[in-house]
Amino acid sequence: MSAKPQRRRTARRLTLTALALTAGAGAMVAAALPAGAASGGGAAKSRTVDVQLLSFNDLHGTLEPPQGSSGTVSERQADGTTKAIPAGGVEYLANGLRDARKGHEYSVTAAAGDMIGASPMLSGLFHDEPTIEALNKLKLDVSSVGNHEFDEGKTELRRIAYGGCHPVDGCSEYGKTYNGAEFQYLAANVTDEKTKRPLMSPTFIWKKGDVKIGFIGVTLEGTPDVVTADGVKGLKFGDEVETINKYADELNKQGVKSIVALIHEGGLPASGAYNYDCDAPGAGAGISGAIVDIAKNVDAKVDALVTGHTHQAYACNIPDPAGNPRTVTSAASYGRLFTDTALTYDRQTKDIVRTPVAAPKPVQKVVNRDQPKAPDMTELITRWKTLADPIANRPMGYIAADIPGRGSEAYEKPLGDVIADAQLEALAPADKGGAQLAIMNPGGIRADLAYKAAGDEGDGVVTYGESYTVQPFTNMMNVVDLTGAQLITALQQQVSGTVNGPSPKILQVSKGFTYTLDTTKAGADRIVVDSVRLNGAAIDPAKTYRVAMNEFLAGGGDGFTVLKEHKNKLVGASDLDAFNAYLAKTSAQAPLAAPAADRITVVK
């Protein structure tokens, strides 16, 4: 069916409140503003306007409160300890955003990508249409795309943005046509390889009265490294800084001086606590990662950076190339936080006033579950659950206690071991591929397995909806030939190269495969080659091994380029099918216990 991309979106946005951001190309004029900045009598407009920017990122279709440690945020206490606070769920996020907007004549809401993709079953089963509906109700104005927006490919992303029923599965709700996003998706650095044109709009100008704010949206240049090849076929992903600077110039030429960049790339703060001050003892001193270099090189015309991808919480002040203060924020993930940034818009310069005293530091607001639920979101969840529950509530197996996965900060995650073991068991039989070991990318583990029941299934019961949330991609399993030398290279690529050197990605491994990771060394040397063993025997570089992995890894995803050199590939069942088959062998009397996670010896 035909999409309805612009008419509703434009009409709604013209009535929205204005946004201004926390950085400004040369808007260092606060000191020159007269006290009060008013130019006359009661009817005269003040020179400056206070604008509220609300932002979040990496929602990943998480409509219901996340389970396990993925459903908490860490709060630093006065005595230096941390406290876990339950957080997340769109019923609470909607209430929090609506409360935050009260009393703010000018308020805008923006996001930095991964609104959809890798989603729990409640959203993923319906190609994330429920999440877009929720974001429309949240009054989201604009979002960059993230890498997970490409999970189902560019054609599906455009359908999600502009509307129409799914070409294969049809309309999700009987008699209803999916109408698309009412907010603007931006993809400035994603171009079609043939036409050289941007896949989607590169910029969006938000207006209210005489206030204009320009947004530029980009995803990480390395998106092809972290999604399946089919998802980005025919697309080119440009450099984030070059793209933002190009479109900042274009916005300036259009008379737009206040600019916000929405960047699906992020950083790693020194503390996991959402209220950690990453500016202590100096501007941006407590944060590392890709976003630091991006922030230092994005043109001073850009007034604020809203970021994502790393699922971390931070609100830093990283000076722009001109040395002026500029905020860089990220609000963790799964709707557990949102950031409230106060901006000062100068009507005369049309820019954001950026000085250390121009505005208070951005505030991270916890989406706690003590607040009321938004009734419209409760209705939305109930309606979609009615459709999903007959499938989602089917019991798959039993666990004896929480099995940490996504929420674990350890290199080797107990749930990672379970998934790798499930894949090995499914593909070890000779007629299934004859796998001798299995490896699993950590980013493919999207949740924990929580012992406490989320519904009526009972404690310790793992439902299909919960296993789907852990493994939502339905990646097909591959069994391939790799030499021992290639296996060792794969281990070294976990901690080296341009992709994983700065931020290691430690593969989860099946039982019997062991080695030592020495974090006191650098790069590939962190893998102690002589320690790599399979069932107690040293890996022979010249010998061939049968290795099970999902198609994402077999295609060289996550920087594991050596895995593309495999031979004799056999395609098996999906990763989710293998996981569910493994769970099905458990019972209430013999539930699955969390593995010891002792296959990788870490030297610190």
Side-chain angles (χ1 to χ4, degrees):
M1 296 188 181
S2 62
K4 302 175 182 178
Q6 296 298 333
R7 187 177 62 210
R8 290 178 301 105
R9 183 180 301 125
T10 301
R12 186 177 72 84
R13 286 207 178 86
L14 290 176
T15 66
L16 281 173
T17 52
L19 143 66
L21 289 174
T22 36
M28 305 296 293
V29 297
L33 294 179
S39 57
K45 291 182 178 179
S46 65
R47 176 168 167 175
T48 60
V49 175
D50 292 330
V51 181
Q52 177 189 59
L53 172 64
L54 303 177
S55 59
F56 56 98
N57 51 276
D58 296 276
L59 180 64
H60 290 291
T62 309
L63 302 179
E64 297 181 285
Q67 285 191 282
S69 56
S70 295
T72 65
V73 292
S74 176
E75 182 179 75
R76 186 178 178 87
Q77 306 297 299
D79 62 0
T81 61
T82 58
K83 176 183 178 182
I85 300 176
V90 294
E91 294 164 296
Y92 306 105
L93 177 60
N95 187 72
L97 289 172
R98 290 164 185 171
D99 277 353
R101 292 177 186 133
K102 291 176 181 177
H104 293 274
E105 181 182 357
Y106 295 88
S107 179
V108 64
T109 304
D114 277 8
M115 294 296 96
I116 59 174
S119 304
M121 190 172 188
L122 178 61
S123 184
L125 186 64
F126 306 105
H127 302 283
D128 279 314
E129 292 175 19
T131 294
I132 300 299
E133 181 185 347
L135 292 170
N136 291 343
K137 290 179 179 292
L138 287 176
K139 302 300 181 186
L140 179 65
D141 293 302
V142 60
S143 178
S144 66
V145 296
N147 54 287
H148 281 287
E149 262 82 11
F150 294 93
D151 282 351
E152 295 190 50
K154 63 182 180 183
T155 301
E156 172 64 4
L157 172 55
R158 291 181 64 84
R159 183 191 76 85
I160 281 292
Y162 302 131
C165 295
H166 192 274
V168 176
D169 295 336
C171 300
S172 296
E173 293 185 285
Y174 180 76
K176 292 184 181 180
T177 299
Y178 168 68
N179 289 321
E182 294 176 8
F183 58 93
Q184 181 70 63
Y185 256 130
L186 303 179
N189 66 331
V190 186
T191 55
D192 187 288
E193 288 181 341
K194 291 182 178 179
T195 68
K196 312 301 181 185
R197 299 180 63 183
L199 175 68
M200 307 177 83
S201 299
T203 62
F204 170 69
I205 301 173
W206 185 89
K207 302 177 183 178
K208 181 179 180 182
D210 59 353
V211 177
K212 290 194 294 188
I213 307 293
F215 289 88
I216 304 166
V218 299
T219 186
L220 68 153
E221 183 182 8
T223 290
D225 296 323
V226 293
V227 301
T228 57
D230 285 346
V232 294
K233 188 176 181 180
L235 298 176
K236 181 180 179 181
F237 292 78
D239 179 84
E240 303 95 336
V241 172
E242 291 178 5
T243 303
I244 293 168
N245 291 349
K246 170 188 173 181
Y247 285 105
D249 285 340
E250 290 196 10
L251 286 169
N252 266 208
K253 289 175 183 177
Q254 297 174 50
V256 179
K257 304 297 182 182
S258 297
I259 302 172
V260 178
L262 307 175
I263 309 172
H264 191 70
E265 179 60 289
L268 301 168
S271 168
Y274 78 87
N275 54 342
Y276 165 70
D277 183 3
C278 55
D279 285 335
I287 188 170
S288 60
I291 200 61
V292 177
D293 283 339
I294 291 173
K296 289 179 179 178
N297 288 285
V298 163
D299 197 293
K301 295 183 183 72
V302 177
D303 297 303
L305 310 183
V306 176
T307 73
H309 187 55
T310 57
H311 290 207
Q312 301 297 308
Y314 48 84
C316 299
N317 175 6
I318 302 176
D320 67 22
N324 299 330
R326 182 164 62 188
T327 59
V328 180
T329 64
S330 174
S333 59
Y334 307 137
R336 295 173 293 163
L337 295 174
F338 65 89
T339 309
D340 189 336
T341 303
L343 308 166
T344 301
Y345 182 90
D346 185 340
R347 284 190 165 107
Q348 183 170 310
T349 65
K350 303 183 188 305
D351 211 339
I352 301 302
V353 179
R354 284 198 284 131
T355 70
V357 296
K361 191 176 179 70
V363 176
Q364 301 284 25
K365 296 193 172 180
V366 178
V367 180
N368 66 72
R369 299 178 200 159
D370 296 331
Q371 62 186 306
K373 296 180 180 181
D376 59 334
M377 292 300 178
T378 302
E379 185 279 330
L380 181 151
I381 289 172
T382 301
R383 177 162 49 84
W384 287 103
K385 278 178 67 69
T386 299
L387 297 176
D389 277 355
I391 299 171
N393 288 342
R394 288 183 301 173
M396 290 292 107
Y398 299 82
I399 56 176
D402 288 351
I403 304 181
R406 186 74 181 188
S408 170
E409 296 182 0
Y411 283 137
E412 182 181 354
K413 307 173 192 306
L415 189 50
D417 286 357
V418 170
I419 292 170
D421 287 350
Q423 294 175 353
L424 175 60
E425 185 170 292
L427 299 168
D431 62 341
K432 301 296 183 182
Q436 296 168 273
L437 69 145
I439 55 177
M440 171 67 191
N441 56 303
I445 307 168
R446 303 307 302 183
D448 303 332
L449 280 183
Y451 179 78
K452 183 175 176 59
D456 299 329
E457 71 273 17
D459 291 348
V461 177
V462 180
T463 65
Y464 184 79
E466 290 167 340
S467 64
Y468 179 100
T469 297
V470 170
Q471 294 263 263
F473 300 111
T474 317
N475 270 316
M476 301 310 293
M477 292 301 303
N478 293 177
V479 185
V480 302
D481 281 354
L482 290 175
T483 66
Q486 289 171 323
L487 262 177
I488 291 169
T489 298
L491 296 181
Q492 292 171 331
Q493 287 180 342
Q494 299 176 115
V495 291
S496 62
T498 56
V499 177
N500 297 336
S503 181
K505 292 185 179 69
I506 305 302
L507 296 167
Q508 308 299 287
V509 296
S510 57
K511 58 186 176 183
F513 190 71
T514 58
Y515 69 95
T516 296
L517 174 67
D518 187 347
T519 62
T520 66
K521 297 181 179 179
D525 290 340
R526 283 180 275 191
I527 302 301
V528 181
V529 173
D530 292 344
S531 71
V532 184
R533 285 175 163 70
L534 179 61
N535 299 322
I539 290 290
D540 183 346
K543 186 177 177 180
T544 296
Y545 298 86
R546 293 292 282 167
V547 186
M549 67 189 76
N550 60 44
E551 60 185 344
F552 170 70
L553 279 178
D558 271 352
F560 293 98
T561 55
V562 70
L563 298 180
K564 292 193 292 185
E565 300 172 10
H566 65 258
K567 296 180 180 179
N568 299 325
K569 180 173 75 173
L570 178 69
V571 178
S574 74
D575 52 6
L576 179 59
D577 286 343
F579 187 41
N580 282 330
Y582 192 76
L583 291 171
K585 295 185 177 182
T586 65
S587 66
Q589 293 73 35
L592 178 66
D598 55 1
R599 299 164 191 182
I600 304 172
T601 300
V602 180
V603 177
K604 297 181 180 181

